[in-house]
């Protein structure tokens, strides 16, 4: 059960390791295009059809017709990667239960966007966790964990790719552990590994989530930008001297260690563009003005005049 590219790697590992994948469940095709007339299948569906696997695309997971169809496949186990919340009638169906491959080191970063939030929060390490599903989201008993370092200059795309491959590996290891234990591998309750630490959650990200707060420190803004790069992209509002406002997406910044001159103020030095965070200057390296292409700051400066008189908010 899965939908995006992230889940394809795990499905491919299952197929190539010759597990008997009896069916694939993914989201319904989405309308795309200017007139919303073309229907686009998920990445998981595309791969499943290439391999001749049956594909189920329920609108509602509790739909009796879907539940009966799913039951007819008599699966011993269900594997979930980047999918939706399942009702008990679905996750409790197989004799060995249902496990999820989650892109974080649970119990930290439960939620829809664990990769983004780990980078945004400046974590130096994340990973993948497999756990058995239960009634609450991302709270089930942990089966296995694998760690993944986050370099200081890594953006979310780098971490996404790394965890996508790691997720496929941990899925196979988890299956082997379940089979060896006849469906009852050793597990750990999530509460037992908290050690009194506060939970960091990973809620879904919306457009308003991605707006940069220049009152934060340069390190916080730096992490925020790379935690949303390249998608969905951190953004700010560029304000010209005549009070015109334009959305400016920022994909890459560089820490300078130099003191700033007031949050949101811009400065230009040669072919370099800087903005002040709460404490220090950040160099803007890659950005995109609304309606334009993503570009290096040096190219952006070629087309902008009197930028030093502008500010961001």
């Amino acid at each position: 059960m899965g939908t995006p590219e992230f889940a394809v790697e795990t499905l491919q590992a299952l197929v190539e390791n010759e597990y008997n994948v009896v069916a694939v469940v993914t989201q319904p095709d989405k309308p795309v295009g200017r007139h919303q007339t073309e229907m686009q299948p998920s990445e998981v569906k595309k791969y499943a059809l290439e391999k001749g696997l049956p594909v189920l695309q329920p609108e509602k997971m509790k739909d009796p017709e879907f539940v009966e169809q799913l039951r007819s496949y008599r699966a011993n186990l269900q594997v979930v990667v980047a999918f939706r919340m399942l009702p008990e009638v679905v996750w409790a169906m197989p004799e060995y239960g249902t496990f999820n491959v989650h892109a974080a080191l649970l119990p930290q970063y439960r939620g829809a966007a664990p990769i983004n939030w780990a980078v945004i929060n400046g974590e130096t390490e994340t990973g993948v966790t497999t756990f058995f599903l239960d009634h609450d989201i991302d709270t089930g008993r942990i089966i296995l964990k694998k760690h993944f370092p986050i370099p200081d200059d890594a953006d979310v795309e780098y971490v996404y790719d790394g965890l996508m491959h790691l997720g496929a590996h941990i899925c196979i290891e988890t299956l082997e552990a379940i089979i060896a234990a006849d469906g009852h591998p050793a597990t750990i309750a999530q509460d037992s590994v908290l050690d009194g630490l506060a939970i960091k959650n990973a809620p879904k990200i919306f457009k308003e989530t991605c707006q940069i707060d220049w009152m934060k420190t340069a390190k916080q803004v730096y992490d925020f930008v790379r935690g949303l790069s390249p998608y969905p992209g951190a953004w700010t509002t560029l304000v010209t001297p005549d009070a015109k406002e334009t959305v400016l997406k920022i994909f890459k910044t560089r820490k300078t260690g130099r003191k700033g001159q007031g949050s949101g103020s811009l400065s230009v030095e040669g072919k370099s563009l800087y903005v002040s965070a709460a404490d220090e200057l950040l160099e803007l390296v890659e950005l995109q003005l609304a309606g334009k292409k993503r570009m290096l700051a040096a190219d952006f400066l070629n087309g902008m005049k009197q930028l030093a008189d502008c500010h961001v908010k």
Side-chain angles (χ1 to χ4, degrees):
M1 298 182 175
T3 293
E5 176 195 24
F6 190 91
V8 175
E9 191 86 5
T10 299
L11 176 57
Q12 183 175 338
L14 292 171
V15 170
E16 292 180 354
N17 282 275
E18 299 183 347
Y19 285 95
N20 183 22
V21 181
V22 293
V24 171
V25 183
T26 190
Q27 72 177 15
D29 295 0
K30 282 188 173 181
V32 294
R34 187 174 179 182
H35 302 292
Q36 299 282 287
T37 52
E38 297 176 43
M39 299 300 288
Q40 181 173 294
S42 73
E43 293 303 313
V44 163
K45 180 180 179 179
K46 291 177 188 176
Y47 179 83
L49 293 180
E50 281 178 20
K51 298 300 176 181
L53 301 172
V55 176
L56 309 182
Q57 296 177 275
E59 290 282 354
K60 296 180 180 178
M61 299 301 291
K62 290 183 179 180
D63 181 346
E65 186 176 334
F66 161 70
V67 171
E68 285 309 308
Q69 190 177 13
L70 185 64
R71 187 174 281 117
S72 72
Y73 286 102
R74 301 171 62 84
N76 303 100
L77 180 72
Q78 291 172 160
V79 181
V80 179
V81 187
F83 197 46
R84 56 213 274 196
M85 188 173 179
L86 303 182
E88 183 174 2
V89 68
V90 172
W91 58 255
M93 187 183 295
E95 60 180 309
Y96 290 169
T98 300
F99 76 83
N100 185 287
V101 178
H102 186 74
L105 297 174
L106 290 172
Q108 299 295 1
Y109 296 106
R110 296 167 175 162
I115 305 176
N116 299 92
W117 285 108
V119 181
I120 288 170
N121 288 338
E123 303 288 359
T124 58
E125 183 182 61
T126 184
V128 287
T129 304
T130 52
F131 67 95
F132 281 116
L133 266 65
D134 63 13
H135 292 93
D136 298 314
I137 296 177
D138 299 338
T139 60
R141 294 184 66 85
I142 292 170
I143 309 166
L144 291 176
K145 282 187 184 183
K146 282 186 177 291
H147 294 250
F148 183 84
I150 305 177
D152 183 64
D153 61 349
D155 62 17
V156 79
E157 184 174 45
Y158 171 90
V159 183
Y160 179 99
D161 288 345
L163 295 186
M164 181 170 65
H165 297 304
L166 198 59
H169 288 299
I170 200 173
C171 174
I172 300 303
E173 286 189 25
T174 300
L175 277 170
E176 290 172 351
I178 290 172
I179 291 167
D182 195 26
H184 301 284
T187 58
I188 302 171
Q190 291 194 32
D191 288 345
S192 69
V193 296
L194 269 176
D195 292 328
L197 296 175
I199 288 282
K200 298 175 184 177
N201 290 312
K204 187 175 181 179
I205 289 175
F206 299 94
K207 181 183 177 182
E208 55 269 25
T209 314
C210 302
Q211 184 173 12
I212 298 169
D213 179 1
W214 297 105
M215 296 300 291
K216 292 192 173 182
T217 66
K219 173 67 164 66
Q220 288 174 315
V221 175
Y222 172 81
D223 291 335
F224 187 79
V225 168
R226 64 194 185 98
L228 296 167
S229 180
Y231 182 83
W235 62 274
T236 188
T237 302
L238 179 67
V239 184
T240 60
D242 58 359
K244 287 184 179 178
E245 298 187 356
T246 311
V247 171
L248 180 68
K249 279 194 172 184
I250 300 175
F251 297 99
K252 187 175 182 180
T253 65
R254 185 178 293 121
K255 292 174 284 186
T256 68
R258 294 164 51 191
K259 190 166 178 59
Q261 298 179 345
S263 297
S265 60
L266 290 170
S267 56
V268 178
E269 296 177 20
K271 292 294 184 182
S272 299
L273 176 61
Y274 301 90
V275 62
S276 289
D279 56 347
E280 297 175 358
L281 283 177
L282 271 179
E283 182 181 357
L284 304 187
V285 180
E286 289 184 45
L287 35 74
Q288 181 179 15
L289 201 60
K292 305 291 184 180
K293 292 181 180 179
R294 176 176 171 175
M295 63 184 73
L296 294 173
D299 298 323
F300 175 75
L301 288 171
N302 287 335
M304 296 292 290
K305 295 178 180 178
Q306 298 179 320
L307 198 57
D309 297 324
C310 302
H311 68 278
V312 291
K313 68 174 187 178

